[in-house]
Amino acid sequence: MRTIDWADGTVRIIDQTRLPAELVGIDVGEVDELVVHIRSLAVRGAPALGVAGALGMALAAYRSAESGGDLDADLAVAADKLSQARPTAVNLSWGVEQLRAARAAGAGAEQLLAAALAIRDADIEINQALSDRGAQLLAGSRRVLTHCNAGALACVEFGTALGVIERLHAAAPLEMVYVCETRPLLQGSRLTAWELGQRGIPHRIIADSAAAGLMLGGQVQAVVVGADRIAANGDVANKVGTVSHALAASYAGLPFVVAAPESTIDPGTESGAEISIELRDAEEVLALAGRRVAAPGSSGWNPAFDVTPAALVTAIVTERRTIDGRACELRPEVVLAGDAGLATAG
Ligand code: MRU
């Protein structure tokens, strides 16, 4: 079952809030409903959100055609709602913009759906390509650490960081994947561990706070994570906690690799300081599995993402290139100008 797909005039998603207890799909028939599922993280992860943006626009066009509505007006409303559903992953607004551009070029409802389906299909090939590249870069690493979920569940059916891990394991069996549980919503222990278990890849879940000690203790050879937005200077926004792992990896002298499609790179955002970080309900931090555990009267702060400075990133691996994050920081003017002039991590 794909994480997100089109089925009988609806957007079909896996409800990730119910994993790993049950694997259940939801057929989403309205854009407003899709926005609710994006906010609740029923569908989540940057590449999957890109496809959600595109399929959401196709859904709006489909419903508009059915009801004889004004297609452009309906698409404008849908574009606003979808783009604003979550602010950090640039893929969401990227997916919406791809469909807006198709409409501007004259596409009707059927062609808009075809454009969205092409984005869905491309996601699989793109992630396989970047995963091959990432696995080549990290060949020889047998004990790796990852944070959050950048697997098939964050994409259509093949992951980014977890795609790299899968490819590494296929080349030579991994000794261990250390999976950070990823407080507060546990994408690591609920989703990444589930995916690795399904693929028979050895893994251990650790508390996020155990990662630095593990790295300094020599038990990890590389860290690989996904990204929600990469600024033009190479700064990387990803799930909160990522920057702590990057700092520890840097101190321990370990490669810290970011695996992400080109659509996660946002040339319009100069540096990480400009990235809007989603602030979620503090209750998510004050509670565990829906039950309040914090001291009565205490308040919380719950940013969903943090920014890792480019200087801490050994390499950003996309489907087209390998970018040396540290070179980005030093030479911002050459970043994203194409392969020429970019240092390639090896
Ligand atoms: O809040 P989430 O679960 O959507 O956050 C997801 C992440 O931070 C992932 O690491 C990122 O989107 C990359 S997914 C290939």
Side-chain angles (χ1 to χ4, degrees), residues 9-150:
T10 65
V11 178
R12 179 167 293 168
I13 56 169
I14 292 177
D15 184 353
Q16 298 188 41
T17 62
R18 293 164 77 166
L19 280 169
E22 37 181 13
L23 177 59
V24 183
I26 315 174
D27 288 335
V28 185
E30 300 294 338
V31 168
D32 285 346
E33 213 187 316
L34 184 57
V35 167
V36 169
H37 291 309
I38 290 172
R39 291 216 168 107
S40 73
L41 309 198
V43 58
R44 47 149 296 281
L49 290 176
V51 177
L55 284 177
M57 289 290 278
L59 184 66
Y62 208 79
R63 292 286 99 88
S64 179
E66 270 177 356
S67 64
D70 175 338
L71 180 56
D72 287 313
D74 291 343
L75 283 177
V77 171
D80 278 353
K81 288 180 177 171
L82 288 163
S83 307
Q84 287 165 24
R86 293 189 78 191
T88 306
V90 71
N91 305 61
L92 179 56
S93 51
W94 173 88
V96 169
E97 286 312 315
Q98 299 300 302
L99 272 271
R100 268 231 267 239
R103 174 62 189 156
E110 281 304 321
Q111 290 152 310
L112 289 172
L113 177 58
L117 296 181
I119 290 172
R120 174 202 65 186
D121 295 343
D123 180 77
I124 301 164
E125 281 176 29
I126 285 169
N127 294 343
Q128 287 173 341
L130 70 86
S131 295
D132 285 338
R133 188 183 288 278
Q136 275 167 22
L137 194 68
L138 291 176
S141 299
R142 305 265 65 86
R143 298 186 301 275
V144 298
L145 181 140
T146 191
H147 189 69
C148 194
N149 173 267

Side-chain angles (χ1 to χ4, degrees), residues 26-336:
I26 315 174
D27 288 335
V28 185
E30 300 294 338
V31 168
D32 285 346
E33 213 187 316
L34 184 57
V35 167
V36 169
H37 291 309
I38 290 172
R39 291 216 168 107
S40 73
L41 309 198
V43 58
R44 47 149 296 281
L49 290 176
V51 177
L55 284 177
M57 289 290 278
L59 184 66
Y62 208 79
R63 292 286 99 88
S64 179
E66 270 177 356
S67 64
D70 175 338
L71 180 56
D72 287 313
D74 291 343
L75 283 177
V77 171
D80 278 353
K81 288 180 177 171
L82 288 163
S83 307
Q84 287 165 24
R86 293 189 78 191
T88 306
V90 71
N91 305 61
L92 179 56
S93 51
W94 173 88
V96 169
E97 286 312 315
Q98 299 300 302
L99 272 271
R100 268 231 267 239
R103 174 62 189 156
E110 281 304 321
Q111 290 152 310
L112 289 172
L113 177 58
L117 296 181
I119 290 172
R120 174 202 65 186
D121 295 343
D123 180 77
I124 301 164
E125 281 176 29
I126 285 169
N127 294 343
Q128 287 173 341
L130 70 86
S131 295
D132 285 338
R133 188 183 288 278
Q136 275 167 22
L137 194 68
L138 291 176
S141 299
R142 305 265 65 86
R143 298 186 301 275
V144 298
L145 181 140
T146 191
H147 189 69
C148 194
N149 173 267
L153 288 167
C155 306
V156 173
E157 67 173 40
F158 196 85
T160 57
L162 222 50
V164 173
I165 287 171
E166 243 183 85
R167 290 294 203 241
L168 275 174
H169 185 68
L174 290 174
E175 280 172 35
M176 191 56 64
V177 180
Y178 290 100
V179 177
C180 294
E181 62 173 348
T182 317
R183 277 285 289 152
L185 296 180
L186 306 177
Q187 288 93 331
S189 57
R190 290 190 305 109
L191 308 177
T192 298
W194 183 77
E195 285 196 45
L196 289 169
Q198 296 241 320
R199 288 161 182 74
I201 300 178
H203 61 279
R204 257 184 208 152
I205 297 166
I206 58 168
D208 302 329
S209 44
L214 209 60
M215 286 187 237
L216 294 179
Q219 286 155 92
V220 174
Q221 293 168 315
V223 179
V224 54
V225 296
D228 286 84
R229 188 183 296 241
I230 301 171
N233 73 340
D235 290 350
V236 174
N238 191 49
K239 178 54 57 193
V240 69
T242 302
V243 68
S244 314
H245 303 322
L247 284 163
S250 169
Y251 191 83
L254 297 174
F256 180 89
V257 172
V258 174
E262 290 279 332
S263 55
T264 301
I265 297 174
D266 180 11
T269 295
E270 228 170 90
S271 76
E274 285 176 24
I275 298 176
S276 160
I277 299 293
E278 175 183 359
L279 266 186
R280 294 185 64 83
D281 192 338
E283 278 308 312
E284 291 176 351
V285 171
L286 302 173
L288 262 183
R291 197 174 62 84
R292 169 130 187 166
V293 289
S298 294
S299 59
W301 180 60
N302 187 17
F305 302 95
D306 59 28
V307 175
T308 298
L312 295 177
V313 178
T314 312
I316 298 166
V317 179
T318 79
E319 68 275 25
R320 284 207 283 115
R321 52 193 169 148
T322 301
I323 302 165
D324 183 333
R326 294 159 303 189
C328 292
E329 172 90 345
L330 296 173
R331 295 181 292 134
E333 74 282 1
V334 301
V335 179
L336 310 175

